[in-house]
Amino acid sequence: TCDALLGRRDSARVLSSLADHHLFVVPTEGHSGSYRYHGLLADVLRSELQKDDPKIVRELHARASELFVERGDRGPAVKHALLSGDCERAAALIWSYLPIMLGLGKGDTVVSWLKHLSDGEYDRSPVFDVARMFAAVVAGDGRSTRLWLDVARRHQPTTPMPDGTLLDFFFNLGEALICESGISEMVESAHR
């Protein structure tokens, strides 16, 4: 992982040396070739790097996201895509993972991915609103489903989602799932 992020080939040797000299790095028990470092050191290093070169921080998060996608590790892939500032990539990842996560009953995990978005970031893609809407559906929370459907309506209904489906389809699906106006209205929304 370190070699992939840093573009080098000697990370294992460097980490091993740091651990041997008790320099805030220790081997992770049960994971050969894996290390962890002290949390305070991590905070200091992140802060220094952010101050010195914020662009490289975003690039490193983008690389980390790609690496986690290759490994099939959804949560970190999305987290690092969001931290890289690439909302379009994050939206595409979330959209591709959403059916799996909801099918596994992990709507709360999807919500945790999205909790740290700013209002401006939510405005960049309707995927974020629709994902929150579906997570609320899975949780059986009609009030939140309505809220996120209404929030999603800030976007144009003709906006294509990452899979090409128009957003209007999900507006109608949301209305059908909420079923606020009775069965006949639900059936009409479903037909639309």
Side-chain angles (χ1 to χ4, degrees):
T1 301
C2 289
D3 283 347
L5 286 176
L6 300 174
R8 53 189 297 168
R9 296 187 175 166
D10 63 344
S11 299
R13 183 185 55 74
V14 171
L15 288 168
S16 178
S17 176
L18 290 171
D20 290 346
H21 291 91
H22 307 289
L23 295 173
F24 299 106
V25 177
V26 295
T28 304
E29 201 171 309
H31 296 91
S32 178
S34 181
Y35 298 86
R36 64 177 174 80
Y37 48 87
H38 195 281
L40 291 176
L41 175 63
D43 292 343
V44 168
L45 294 174
R46 279 190 202 104
S47 176
E48 286 297 313
L49 187 58
Q50 181 65 39
K51 185 172 56 175
D52 291 345
D53 193 353
K55 183 179 176 187
I56 193 69
V57 172
R58 289 188 301 277
E59 289 174 18
L60 289 171
H61 282 298
R63 285 187 214 161
S65 177
E66 290 171 17
L67 185 64
F68 284 115
V69 166
E70 289 171 15
R71 292 182 177 177
D73 203 345
R74 296 178 193 102
V78 170
K79 174 187 165 192
H80 287 287
L82 289 167
L83 290 171
S84 76
D86 189 348
C87 286
E88 188 174 313
R89 176 175 169 71
L93 288 173
I94 290 168
W95 195 248
S96 70
Y97 298 152
L98 191 63
I100 295 165
M101 298 303 289
L102 296 179
L104 293 171
K106 295 186 180 253
D108 56 333
T109 300
V110 173
V111 170
S112 75
W113 294 343
L114 300 170
K115 273 189 176 176
H116 304 291
L117 288 175
S118 68
D119 289 341
E121 289 168 322
Y122 265 105
D123 289 341
R124 300 217 9 226
S125 176
V127 166
F128 305 135
D129 305 328
V130 173
R132 291 291 298 260
M133 178 187 79
F134 281 127
V137 167
V138 169
D141 185 346
R143 182 173 286 148
S144 290
T145 302
R146 166 54 66 198
L147 168 78
W148 287 106
L149 173 59
D150 290 344
V151 170
R153 288 188 188 280
R154 297 177 300 172
H155 301 276
Q156 292 297 316
T158 56
T159 303
M161 299 299 270
D163 63 359
T165 306
L166 297 183
L167 183 56
D168 192 47
F169 171 82
F170 298 100
F171 292 163
N172 287 312
L173 182 57
E175 290 294 346
L177 291 169
I178 293 170
C179 188
E180 289 176 324
S181 302
I183 298 295
S184 60
E185 182 64 34
M186 180 181 92
V187 170
E188 187 177 319
S189 293
H191 283 291
R192 279 194 303 271

